[in-house]
Amino acid sequence: MTEAVGPGTKRILVTGGTGLVGRAIEKVVADGEGQADEEWIFVSSKDADLTSAVETKALFERHKPTHVIHLAAMVGGLFKNIRYNLDFWRTNVHINDNVLHSAYEAGVQKVVSCLSTCIFPDKTTYPIDETMVSTSIPTFSLVETPALFYCLLSCPQIHNGPPHSSNFGYSYAKRMIDVQNRGYFEQHGCRFTAVIPTNVFGPHDNFNIEDGHVLPGLIHKVYLAKRDGSALTIWGTGKPRRQFIYSLDLARLFLWVLREYDEVEPIILSVGEEDEVSIREAAEAIVEAMDFRGELVFDTTKADGQFKKTASNAKLRRYLPSFQFTPFRQAVKETCTWFCANYTNARK
């Protein structure tokens, strides 16, 4: 039985607490960035099936959170998304609706959900920024406008075109979190918001070559190629470009959003546009970090996916102009070191 929360104490429930970002938040909190008035609860799918409304409600009744960081999701890399777009849509829509509604029913003070830059239309201008998610419509008031109609009006650009076809199921499900946040704010005054990180990587990632994201998949490939003395085969041309954010940097930013960020509108959490790298450059950083000296081969019969989704972090910089991101090659080196040291037990 969960004990009652003391006066002024924040009981913070983290869904997806054993995943990449959840583990990073747990480490950052344990390393000294937690606060005395905070109690952190990290839960995983072993604690509740969040696709079940009954189990989700029971989880909230058991832990009685005052704040929630919602990370739980069905996730995967390019090729898993291509194969299972419907599953990504259905699973994530159920999870998100159950978590947000349980948070509302439990009187949670604030929810911070995690979106993705894949929510933006495939055909758009760059860099993408928060104005493409939401724009104010001054002729409509929060009181006078029906909830869903207002929500759709207030985020026209995000609905101004489909996401990339490779992961439309996941992308549309994530878009709906923003619609729900606005609905809960208008109809019930809830402080539900979201962050939009770019490509996250770090320790405790999913390093599965078939189903994982590009960077951890490449790390695993380099590990195997070095071990076996074989060439390194990279799927695609290597030309697509991405902004990668280290999970420990993202964790520190999550704490700031939870404590300080008061807008319902989401905020992009990303390194700068100048830090965008190609997949080839990312692979070369991994090769250097793992001292791989074999041949690099690009299998151009494999899909590249979306060429770029460059995001602006100007809004973040207005709030936190002095935030220091871990240099990309240092973060890659630390992640490779962790993977090699934990190869037996790493998700792969």
Side-chain angles (χ1 to χ4, degrees), residues 13-279:
L13 179 71
V14 182
T15 70
T18 58
L20 168 63
V21 181
R23 287 291 187 94
I25 293 174
E26 186 174 26
K27 176 173 174 52
V28 164
V29 169
D31 286 349
E33 297 204 26
Q35 295 182 351
D37 65 345
E38 295 173 346
E39 177 186 346
W40 290 82
I41 305 159
F42 295 86
V43 297
S44 72
S45 57
K46 293 180 180 178
D47 298 285
D49 175 7
L50 298 182
T51 64
S52 162
V54 172
E55 290 195 31
T56 306
K57 183 175 182 178
L59 180 74
F60 276 72
E61 290 176 346
R62 183 161 66 249
H63 292 293
K64 298 178 173 58
T66 61
H67 295 68
V68 172
I69 292 179
H70 174 37
L71 305 174
M74 177 183 177
V75 298
L78 171 63
F79 297 97
K80 185 175 180 180
N81 272 273
I82 290 173
R83 293 195 303 272
Y84 301 112
N85 264 299
L86 176 62
D87 292 351
F88 276 96
W89 160 259
R90 297 190 71 242
T91 299
N92 286 310
V93 163
H94 285 308
I95 290 173
N96 298 334
D97 186 53
N98 290 336
V99 168
L100 292 178
H101 197 64
S102 291
Y104 158 66
E105 289 187 324
V108 169
Q109 297 171 28
K110 186 172 183 178
V111 177
V112 181
S113 296
C114 193
L115 308 185
S116 166
T117 50
C118 69
I119 65 176
F120 293 97
D122 182 35
K123 307 299 182 185
T124 188
T125 56
Y126 295 100
I128 53 182
D129 61 32
E130 293 84 357
T131 66
M132 295 177 178
V133 182
S134 59
T135 54
S136 60
I137 308 294
T139 55
F140 294 89
S141 73
L142 287 173
V143 175
E144 296 169 346
T145 310
L148 182 58
F149 183 52
Y150 175 80
C151 292
L152 295 175
L153 281 173
S154 65
C155 45
Q157 295 192 59
I158 195 175
H159 297 284
N160 205 26
H164 193 270
S165 60
S166 62
N167 60 357
F168 70 85
Y170 180 80
S171 301
Y172 276 121
K174 287 294 187 179
R175 283 187 185 187
M176 291 304 103
I177 290 179
D178 181 60
V179 172
Q180 288 178 280
N181 284 348
R182 293 167 191 281
Y184 278 109
F185 173 73
E186 183 206 341
Q187 195 164 329
H188 301 295
C190 298
R191 293 173 63 215
F192 294 176
T193 190
V195 302
I196 309 174
T198 47
N199 293 64
V200 191
F201 73 98
H204 301 284
D205 208 337
N206 178 4
F207 295 86
N208 186 284
I209 292 172
E210 294 283 340
D211 295 337
H213 288 108
V214 59
L215 205 72
L218 284 172
I219 290 172
H220 194 179
K221 281 188 172 185
V222 173
Y223 178 94
L224 295 176
K226 182 177 179 180
R227 185 194 67 184
D228 300 339
S230 60
L232 170 63
T233 301
I234 300 170
W235 292 344
T237 65
K239 294 178 181 178
R241 304 185 64 80
R242 296 290 183 267
Q243 289 157 291
F244 293 100
I245 181 170
Y246 193 31
S247 59
L248 295 177
D249 292 340
L250 180 59
R252 290 156 57 212
L253 290 171
F254 255 106
L255 298 191
W256 169 76
V257 171
L258 183 75
R259 296 165 181 163
E260 306 291 341
Y261 182 72
D262 289 327
E263 298 183 36
V264 174
E265 288 75 15
I267 184 169
I268 292 172
L269 303 181
S270 173
V271 298
E273 299 165 52
E274 68 279 3
D275 294 313
E276 189 175 56
V277 298
S278 69
I279 301 304

Side-chain angles (χ1 to χ4, degrees), residues 304-342:
D304 269 337
Q306 194 168 3
F307 178 71
K308 64 182 293 185
K309 40 187 178 178
T310 313
S312 168
N313 70 353
K315 181 176 180 178
L316 173 64
R317 283 304 187 193
R318 287 196 296 272
Y319 276 106
L320 297 175
S322 60
F323 185 86
Q324 295 293 314
F325 288 96
T326 306
F328 177 64
R329 286 182 178 271
Q330 177 186 333
V332 167
K333 177 66 175 175
E334 291 178 9
T335 305
C336 291
T337 300
W338 182 91
F339 178 68
C340 293
N342 294 275

